[in-house]
Amino acid sequence: MYNKRSFWKILALFFIPILLALLASQFAAIPWAQRLLNQKLDELQQDQIARQNELKLSLREQVSQFSFNCGETDMALLRNPRFYNDHVRIQGLWLSSGKGCSSLGPDVPAQDLGLSANFFSDLKEQQNGVSATLDKFNTEQELIAFYHLKGHTIYWVFNNSWAHRILATPCEGCFLFEFSARGDAPTSPIFSRGDRAIKLASDPLTSSTDDPTHMFSQMLWGGDKLIQYAKRQITLIGAGAGALIGLLLVIAYWLRHNHLGSLKNLLEIGLAQREFIPFYQPVVDSRSGQVIGFEALLRWQKGKELVSPHVFIDYAEECGLIMPMTEQLLEQVLEDLDKLGEKRWISINLVAAHIDQPVLRTWLEQQQWPNPERLAFELTERTPITDINHAAQEISELQKHGYHCKLDDFGTGYGGFAYLQQLGIHQIKIDKMFVDTIGTTDLKRSVLDAIIASGHGANMEMIAEGVESQEQADYLQARGVHLIQGYVYSKPLPLAQLLPWLTARRQHQL
Ligand code: C2E
Ligand code: CA
Ligand code: CA
């Protein structure tokens, strides 16, 4: 079942990426519009390359076949669909005799082509080139290519719809294309396609081909409509990408939730079957070699498998199962206590919730405050306590009944000595992280020395945790830390192994 918190989490996981993506897309609109503009210019150039290739084909294959008399062969060649295609609106011959013919028919005067009357005679000097039809009658200018051979002129008037077709996508009125021939052609064409108002607007986007070796220079302008279009498109892309990320996050959350849901089930079954058992790790006074107490560490005996607390403690805390788990542990510890020697204590790990509320106190009260001098509690510094005053009250209540409290993992949190004072705790467990620095050049070693010095200054009882070597034990002993817990003496053991271990140790010491 999803509770209210999960519902809000799912909503947040889904919508936050969408919102972030939408926000980011606002900044990306202009670069995106520029990208569309550059792509469009590329597209125009590709189209021109295709047209040039067709012109080359004509030059190679068609031109040499002309008889230059506008007879049947010439007309057939001019109308041959191989050369007379989408790109070419009219193609024709202008003979040296002053007559002409074209794909439209024989004898089309230059004016009918949109050219000046003496256009062809003016061209005489040039071997070949490009020009444009005249800008009149409100018609758009068209490109015209010409080639001279044996005193005659062959010309191609290009279809003016080519740029329109390309400029119409992806949005109408988004582009202005300017085309101009370089060099010193007598009638250098300069004309444009698209919305001329774009050029006059403030800050239009531009993209141009700037290759001086090219015959033409081309400039593409992008106006407001393009920016609006880019905004809409990038917003859609952003929303889509955000929704996809959101969906993935929700799926990941759902999978984790289900996994944890099944973990919760397993933990509940484990509790019902009393599968959570204590392992005990001895704490030894290195001066006498005597075992003075133990830390009870939970293990989950799941069939033959022994599950480490790292796998389940955090989640048990998150879903509240840590309370019944600790109760089961306490019950077991109370049962084992007598077998472990009269004077030895056993330390139990708590979580903040045990003392944020009077949970532990109530439980102990219900059991009529059992074994106060032999039960101790460890409170970790890793997770901070929210209501420190209340926690201090709870601790003082426990201490009044004779129970000891230790601050676990000392030095790893933010509490430090001020925290200890506020909570009224007089015992600390120095974390393995610091013990590990003994014999190394790690900078944290000076922290260890400082903790020990301050611990003595504040009259704290100190237990060093995670001591693995004799060298570490000696170092600590030399600095007055005698209470040692770690593999150097023993790993945490189940009661059945701990008892023979204690017996063997006693015999060894006798
Ligand atoms: P912790 O309270 O800091 O317990 C000490 C951990 O250090 C234990 O790990 C112990 O086995 C390990 N340790 C002790 N000496 C050495 C050593 O010399 N070398 C190395 N490598 N490790 C050493 P463990 O038993 O896996 O427990 C892990 C943590 O799980 C505990 O850290 C504690 O935070 C939590 N935990 C265990 N049992 C309980 C419990 O009953 N209640 C709560 N709330 N937490 C528990
Ligand atoms: Ca502990
Ligand atoms: Ca610890």
Side-chain angles (χ1 to χ4, degrees):
M1 272 287 283
Y2 289 102
N3 53 27
K4 240 184 178 173
R5 229 171 96 200
S6 306
F7 172 76
W8 289 115
K9 259 190 205 163
I10 287 175
L11 273 192
L13 283 176
F14 185 68
F15 284 109
I16 288 176
I18 296 182
L19 287 177
L20 289 179
L22 286 178
L23 200 72
S25 64
Q26 294 313 301
F27 296 102
I30 300 285
W32 189 253
Q34 184 66 48
R35 185 171 175 271
L36 292 175
L37 194 73
N38 298 345
Q39 275 178 353
K40 187 52 62 182
L41 190 62
D42 271 357
E43 205 182 319
L44 285 163
Q45 284 181 305
Q46 289 309 319
D47 195 72
Q48 286 168 50
I49 289 171
R51 210 172 47 194
Q52 273 167 17
N53 287 341
E54 274 165 20
L55 192 60
K56 276 184 197 157
L57 178 81
S58 294
L59 285 172
R60 233 184 9 251
E61 295 183 14
Q62 185 192 26
V63 167
S64 59
Q65 294 184 50
F66 280 122
S67 316
F68 294 108
N69 57 11
C70 284
E72 259 178 47
T73 322
D74 287 355
M75 287 309 290
L77 272 171
L78 289 172
R79 285 174 173 166
N80 184 342
R82 185 159 156 70
F83 310 115
Y84 181 44
N85 50 38
D86 273 2
H87 289 295
V88 179
R89 189 166 71 80
I90 305 167
Q91 55 181 340
L93 299 176
W94 195 261
L95 304 179
S96 52
S97 61
K99 290 188 144 214
C101 54
S102 77
S103 46
L104 299 180
D107 250 351
V108 180
Q111 289 95 319
D112 284 5
L113 296 173
L115 302 173
S116 59
N118 47 355
F119 177 80
F120 289 109
S121 42
D122 284 352
L123 286 179
K124 280 275 163 14
E125 297 309 308
Q126 283 181 290
Q127 186 61 21
N128 50 49
V130 174
S131 187
T133 58
L134 291 178
D135 182 12
K136 61 178 192 179
F137 310 127
N138 275 343
T139 55
E140 280 188 321
Q141 286 181 281
E142 292 176 325
L143 265 188
I144 174 162
F146 50 86
Y147 185 78
H148 289 274
L149 192 69
K150 300 175 191 161
H152 311 288
T153 306
I154 310 145
Y155 63 87
W156 297 266
V157 180
F158 292 111
N159 200 331
N160 81 343
S161 64
W162 62 275
H164 285 302
R165 180 176 44 80
I166 294 174
L167 294 176
T169 58
C171 50
E172 283 284 353
C174 285
F175 302 104
L176 167 68
F177 180 50
E178 267 190 357
F179 185 93
S180 46
R182 289 184 208 273
D184 46 9
T187 46
S188 280
I190 299 180
F191 58 79
S192 60
R193 296 276 186 269
D195 185 356
R196 286 180 207 216
I198 292 175
K199 197 174 164 180
L200 305 173
S202 61
D203 264 355
L205 301 174
T206 56
S207 181
S208 60
T209 57
D210 212 12
D211 184 350
T213 62
H214 268 195
M215 224 170 146
F216 310 106
S217 87
Q218 304 175 35
M219 180 95 153
L220 191 62
W221 309 72
D224 254 6
K225 282 186 181 167
L226 178 67
I227 294 172
Q228 292 312 324
Y229 173 82
K231 250 185 200 156
R232 283 196 301 278
Q233 198 181 40
I234 198 85
T235 304
L236 272 179
I237 293 172
L244 191 71
I245 294 170
L247 196 69
L248 290 175
L249 287 176
V250 168
I251 291 173
Y253 175 80
W254 183 78
L255 288 174
R256 192 182 125 80
H257 199 91
N258 266 17
H259 165 72
L260 292 182
S262 59
L263 177 59
K264 188 177 179 193
N265 262 347
L266 289 174
L267 290 178
E268 278 168 346
I269 294 169
L271 271 168
Q273 300 184 346
R274 300 190 77 81
E275 289 171 353
F276 295 95
I277 54 163
F279 269 39
Y280 297 104
Q281 188 174 30
V283 176
V284 175
D285 185 329
S286 60
R287 289 166 297 192
S288 61
Q290 296 293 319
V291 175
I292 58 158
F294 306 90
E295 176 174 3
L297 292 155
L298 257 182
R299 296 290 182 269
W300 184 3
Q301 184 73 63
K302 203 160 156 275
K304 285 200 173 137
E305 198 189 345
L306 197 64
V307 184
S308 149
H310 291 292
V311 177
F312 61 88
I313 284 286
D314 284 348
Y315 181 62
E317 185 176 355
E318 204 180 300
C319 67
L321 287 177
I322 191 73
M323 298 298 165
M325 249 176 220
T326 310
E327 275 177 27
Q328 267 188 23
L329 182 83
L330 268 162
E331 286 162 8
Q332 191 64 49
V333 166
L334 288 175
E335 255 182 68
D336 294 345
L337 210 53
D338 284 343
K339 300 173 199 137
L340 293 172
E342 270 174 31
K343 293 202 173 126
R344 292 174 181 142
W345 47 259
I346 298 182
S347 220
I348 312 282
N349 288 288
L350 298 181
V351 294
H354 279 115
I355 53 164
D356 273 347
Q357 309 287 319
V359 178
L360 178 66
R361 181 156 57 98
T362 312
W363 188 87
L364 289 169
E365 197 170 5
Q366 281 165 358
Q367 314 297 315
Q368 281 133 30
W369 308 104
N371 298 85
E373 67 295 342
R374 296 194 54 203
L375 276 189
F377 297 102
E378 293 185 10
L379 194 64
T380 179
E381 203 194 46
R382 279 186 216 276
T383 43
I385 288 166
T386 37
D387 185 348
I388 192 125
N389 292 330
H390 186 263
Q393 243 176 21
E394 288 294 314
I395 288 172
S396 121
E397 203 57 41
L398 295 177
Q399 287 167 337
K400 250 188 245 161
H401 285 89
Y403 297 98
H404 285 281
C405 290
K406 306 179 172 65
L407 193 65
D408 201 358
D409 310 317
F410 190 78
T412 61
Y414 302 97
F417 283 96
Y419 198 61
L420 277 170
Q421 264 173 358
Q422 275 176 294
L423 290 173
I425 290 180
H426 309 289
Q427 289 160 316
I428 56 174
K429 295 190 78 170
I430 301 172
D431 196 74
K432 180 172 184 298
M433 180 208 282
F434 301 107
V435 172
D436 281 345
T437 63
I438 297 171
T440 71
T441 53
D442 192 320
L443 282 178
K444 283 197 295 297
R445 218 192 60 204
S446 56
V447 181
L448 171 69
D449 294 343
I451 289 175
I452 295 174
S454 317
H456 284 309
N459 218 7
M460 290 283 158
E461 183 180 280
M462 288 179 270
I463 298 177
E465 215 177 18
V467 182
E468 289 184 341
S469 68
Q470 196 54 49
E471 184 200 351
Q472 292 171 335
D474 292 345
Y475 182 96
L476 291 159
Q477 186 160 21
R479 282 154 187 79
V481 179
H482 308 293
L483 306 186
I484 304 291
Q485 177 184 346
Y487 293 179
V488 66
Y489 291 114
S490 169
K491 291 190 169 184
L493 297 171
L495 187 73
Q497 286 175 30
L498 180 69
L499 295 177
W501 182 87
L502 284 170
T503 314
R505 192 170 170 81
R506 200 169 41 241
Q507 283 169 356
H508 184 74
Q509 283 177 334
L510 284 177

